[in-house]
């Protein structure tokens, strides 16, 4: 009983100390956290200030601003609207913050109004406002014409409160390799030294097994991340935080992954950052991202071909059709050899990074097409991979309804409903219709979609 009384007194002292802080002190303390980008503590401190004075415009504004950096961004709107109602001049950037909040709620007309007001008050920042207005126009258009897809979080077995991203799917769909910074070490989490590692899971009886670190030969002291799995599953390309950050490769030998070795200088430039890569199904082309000189923006997608000696040749930039002044990342070349998927914040997006698709036709890359809503959102979307039949994909996304930070999602591409067609009445006699060779419609469909068929078996007679 004595111990319980001591604990109770301690809690009362702590509560009294928090209540003893003035509104101004709490807001100042929250500002210090916010300046350091410690948004969790900033939000907690601002919320204490709000509870102390719920009708204070500044407290409402700062809670809303902090929520815009939180996983639950949609909660920002109610506080920002209340702040604006109490004092429209509570902050010089109130219109910009409200525009973001409306954008997260898909209220694009209201968002554009706020960005226009922000532009009117800050003429020198009109470029930022125009960029956000363009995002609203794209988001409004895409959300009114959603793609025919089903998207589902792949669940607690794989996704955690931490980041999960860069899913790699084996050609038969039975193995999934991914990257995560999950940790049970509170000190590492607190110090943000819970570095990323590569995990592997297998599908058994329709469910994924508990993920395990892929191999002690691969797990690094610092960040290591999955990049690409070869078509036959024997090569794993990965990112190591060595030098500026380079691409390495590991081979599976006798059931074990070998110690990764760096790719040559045509891929890993000594003074640049190589972040991700994807090898083609035939193993002869490597698409990778780098911020090396000679590109069009921050991160560009480059391509290298395997030479006759088995070495990666000089890298070639994919050009301005693909690369922009922004970031292009996480390339994935489909097994058909001509369809490239990648993440970009430089092409027209709904906000942050969206996933795009381009095809190699007549010696050039087609204009990248946004995969649309709900594949893409106002938050980050990237690291897209697609099955060989083009029916099932996986990608990583920051979603408010997720299980943590970035989660891995599964996407199923559905056939659109058939168009309404008026019945055609035949006017010619039946016996005048010429016979034609019958072709199964599914064959033409597969040709149009460039679907690859994989045949697997065992050779029992070489003749």
């Amino acid at each position: 009983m004595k111990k319980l009384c001591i604990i109770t007194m301690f809690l009362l002292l702590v509560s009294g100390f928090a209540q003893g802080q003035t509104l101004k002190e709490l807001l100042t303390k929250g500002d210090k956290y916010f300046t350091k980008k410690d948004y969790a503590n900033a939000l907690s401190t601002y919320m204490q200030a709000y509870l102390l004075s719920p009708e204070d415009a500044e407290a409402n504004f700062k809670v809303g601003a902090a929520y815009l950096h939180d996983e639950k961004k949609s909660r920002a709107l109610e506080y920002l609207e209340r702040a604006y109602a109490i004092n429209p001049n509570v902050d010089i950037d109130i219109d910009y913050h409200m525009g973001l909040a409306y954008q997260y709620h898909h209220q694009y007309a209201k968002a554009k109004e706020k960005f226009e007001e922000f532009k009117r008050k800050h003429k020198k920042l009109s470029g930022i406002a125009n960029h956000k207005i363009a995002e609203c126009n794209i988001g409004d258009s895409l959300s009114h014409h959603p793609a025919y897809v089903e998207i589902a979080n792949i669940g607690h077995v794989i996704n955690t409160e931490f980041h999960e991203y860069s899913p790699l799917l084996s050609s038969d769909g039975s193995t999934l390799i991914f990257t995560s910074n999950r940790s049970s070490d509170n000190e590492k989490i607190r110090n943000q030294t819970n570095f990323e590692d590569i995990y592997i899971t297998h599908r058994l009886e329709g469910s994924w097994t508990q993920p395990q670190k892929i191999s002690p030969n691969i797990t690094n002291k610092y960040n290591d991340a999955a990049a690409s799995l070869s078509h036959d599953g024997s090569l794993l390309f990965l990112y190591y935080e060595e030098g500026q950050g380079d691409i390495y490769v590991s081979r599976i030998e006798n059931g074990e992954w070998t110690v990764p070795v760096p790719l040559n200088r045509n891929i890993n430039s000594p003074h640049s950052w190589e972040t991700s890569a994807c090898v083609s199904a035939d193993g002869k082309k490597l698409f990778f991202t780098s911020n090396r000189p000679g590109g069009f923006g921050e991160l560009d997608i480059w391509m290298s071909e395997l030479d006759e000696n088995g070495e990666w040749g000089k890298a070639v930039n994919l050009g301005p059709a693909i690369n922009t002044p922004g970031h292009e990342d996480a390339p994935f070349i489909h097994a058909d050899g001509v369809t490239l998927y990648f993440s970009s914040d430089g092409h027209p997006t709904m906000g942050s990074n969206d996933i795009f698709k381009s095809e190699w036709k007549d010696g050039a890359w087609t204009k990248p097409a946004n995969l649309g809503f709900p594949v893409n959102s106002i938050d980050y979307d990237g690291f897209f991979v697609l099955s060989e039949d083009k029916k099932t994909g996986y990608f990583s996304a920051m979603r408010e309804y997720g299980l943590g930070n970035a989660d891995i999602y599964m996407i199923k591409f559905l056939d659109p409903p058939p168009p309404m067609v008026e019945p055609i009445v035949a006017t010619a006699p039946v016996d005048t219709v010429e016979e034609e060779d019958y072709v199964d419609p599914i064959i033409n469909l597969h040709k149009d979609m460039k679907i690859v068929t994989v045949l697997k078996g065992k050779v029992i007679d070489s003749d």
Side-chain angles (χ1 to χ4, degrees):
M1 181 64 72
K2 183 177 179 181
K3 184 177 180 181
L4 178 61
C5 290
I6 292 172
I7 293 172
T8 303
M9 288 178 66
F10 175 75
L11 291 174
L12 288 171
L13 284 170
V14 171
S15 175
F17 175 75
Q19 291 177 358
Q21 297 181 86
T22 66
L23 178 67
K24 183 177 180 181
E25 287 172 339
L26 287 169
L27 292 176
T28 300
K29 183 180 178 181
D31 291 345
K32 290 179 180 179
Y33 286 126
F34 196 91
T35 302
K36 295 177 181 178
K37 297 184 179 181
D38 185 352
Y39 300 117
N41 278 319
L43 177 57
S44 175
T45 308
Y46 289 147
M47 188 58 75
Q48 291 179 49
Y50 165 77
L51 293 174
L52 194 63
S53 183
E55 296 305 314
D56 183 81
E58 186 178 5
N60 277 277
F61 170 76
K62 290 187 174 180
V63 169
Y67 263 128
L68 288 174
H69 295 276
D70 186 72
E71 294 172 22
K72 309 298 183 184
K73 291 179 173 61
S74 65
R75 295 180 182 175
L77 183 57
E78 62 176 294
Y79 295 96
L80 293 172
E81 285 185 326
R82 189 182 298 118
Y84 189 83
I86 297 168
N87 179 9
N89 299 312
V90 61
D91 187 271
I92 193 171
D93 295 328
I94 180 70
D95 295 298
Y96 182 79
H97 287 81
M98 291 190 72
L100 290 177
Y102 283 126
Q103 191 177 0
Y104 278 109
H105 275 264
H106 301 284
Q107 297 182 38
Y108 296 109
K110 289 184 177 180
K112 288 194 290 184
E113 286 179 8
K114 289 299 179 182
F115 290 134
E116 289 287 359
E117 185 64 17
F118 174 78
K119 184 169 64 171
R120 186 183 66 79
K121 295 177 181 177
H122 304 273
K123 290 182 171 59
K124 291 183 178 180
L125 300 177
S126 60
I128 295 174
N130 288 334
H131 181 75
K132 299 306 295 182
I133 291 169
E135 287 182 353
C136 289
N137 289 331
I138 294 164
D140 193 22
S141 175
L142 294 178
S143 61
H144 278 88
H145 301 88
Y148 293 101
V149 297
E150 289 180 355
I151 296 176
N153 188 299
I154 58 176
H156 289 278
V157 173
I158 292 175
N159 291 319
T160 67
E161 62 183 290
F162 301 95
H163 286 296
E164 279 77 38
Y165 72 97
S166 192
L168 307 178
L169 192 65
S170 62
S171 59
D172 62 2
S174 65
T175 299
L176 183 69
I177 296 172
F178 65 96
T179 305
S180 176
N181 68 335
R182 62 187 64 189
S183 176
S184 58
D185 190 323
N186 289 328
E187 184 176 354
K188 287 184 176 180
I189 296 169
R190 185 168 54 252
N191 296 328
Q192 296 184 343
T193 55
N194 50 317
F195 297 113
E196 297 164 346
D197 287 316
I198 301 171
Y199 290 79
I200 188 168
T201 177
H202 304 280
R203 186 181 285 279
L204 295 177
E205 298 179 353
S207 300
W208 294 109
T209 60
Q210 190 65 36
Q212 304 292 330
K213 289 185 179 180
I214 191 167
S215 169
N217 288 336
I218 288 178
T219 300
N220 200 350
K221 180 180 179 181
Y222 298 107
N223 289 316
D224 49 277
S228 181
L229 186 66
S230 65
H231 191 259
D232 62 3
S234 66
L235 298 177
L236 176 66
F237 294 83
L238 59 142
Y239 168 84
Y240 262 5
E241 208 166 48
E242 300 288 344
Q244 299 294 319
D246 289 338
I247 303 299
Y248 281 61
V249 65
S250 173
R251 299 175 181 273
I252 192 116
E253 293 181 358
N254 300 319
E256 294 289 336
W257 291 102
T258 61
V259 175
V261 295
L263 301 188
N264 65 28
R265 291 295 184 92
N266 288 325
I267 307 300
N268 295 320
S269 180
H271 302 295
S272 61
W273 183 36
E274 283 70 44
T275 63
S276 57
C278 180
V279 67
S280 59
D282 61 8
K284 294 180 180 180
K285 293 181 180 179
L286 187 76
F287 295 81
F288 68 99
T289 51
S290 175
N291 65 348
R292 65 188 59 195
F296 292 86
E298 299 295 328
L299 273 176
D300 276 13
I301 301 177
W302 301 70
M303 189 269 290
S304 172
E305 295 192 68
L306 206 63
D307 65 22
E308 57 186 14
N309 298 318
E311 293 290 331
W312 293 110
K314 184 178 179 181
V316 177
N317 190 290
L318 292 197
I322 299 295
N323 294 312
T324 70
H327 291 83
E328 278 67 49
D329 199 7
F332 171 74
I333 186 72
H334 188 260
D336 64 14
V338 298
T339 310
L340 178 71
Y341 298 87
F342 61 96
S343 178
S344 173
D345 64 3
H347 290 285
T349 71
M350 293 182 67
S352 186
N353 286 62
D354 279 2
I355 301 168
F356 291 82
K357 166 187 172 182
S358 177
E359 293 185 349
W360 181 257
K361 286 185 178 180
D362 302 322
W365 292 102
T366 59
K367 181 180 179 181
N370 190 304
L371 288 197
F373 176 84
V375 180
N376 291 316
S377 68
I378 186 174
D379 265 322
Y380 178 87
D381 303 285
F383 293 99
F384 176 84
V385 296
L386 187 63
S387 62
E388 293 177 347
D389 64 2
K390 296 189 177 183
K391 290 294 185 181
T392 306
Y394 293 85
F395 69 105
S396 184
M398 300 280 288
R399 297 287 166 94
E400 185 165 330
Y401 52 80
L403 300 179
N405 287 294
D407 280 356
I408 295 173
Y409 291 81
M410 183 178 74
I411 176 171
K412 289 186 177 181
F413 290 89
L414 310 175
D415 293 329
M420 297 295 293
V421 180
E422 293 291 331
I424 299 174
V425 180
T427 56
V430 175
D431 57 3
T432 64
V433 178
E434 296 181 3
E435 281 192 17
E436 295 182 359
D437 291 336
Y438 173 77
V439 179
D440 190 331
I442 196 67
I443 299 297
N444 284 330
L445 175 63
H446 281 202
K447 286 182 178 179
D448 292 340
M449 296 181 66
K450 301 185 177 66
I451 288 177
V452 177
T453 301
V454 177
L455 301 179
K456 291 188 177 183
K458 182 178 180 181
V459 177
I460 58 174
D461 188 326
S462 62
D463 294 330

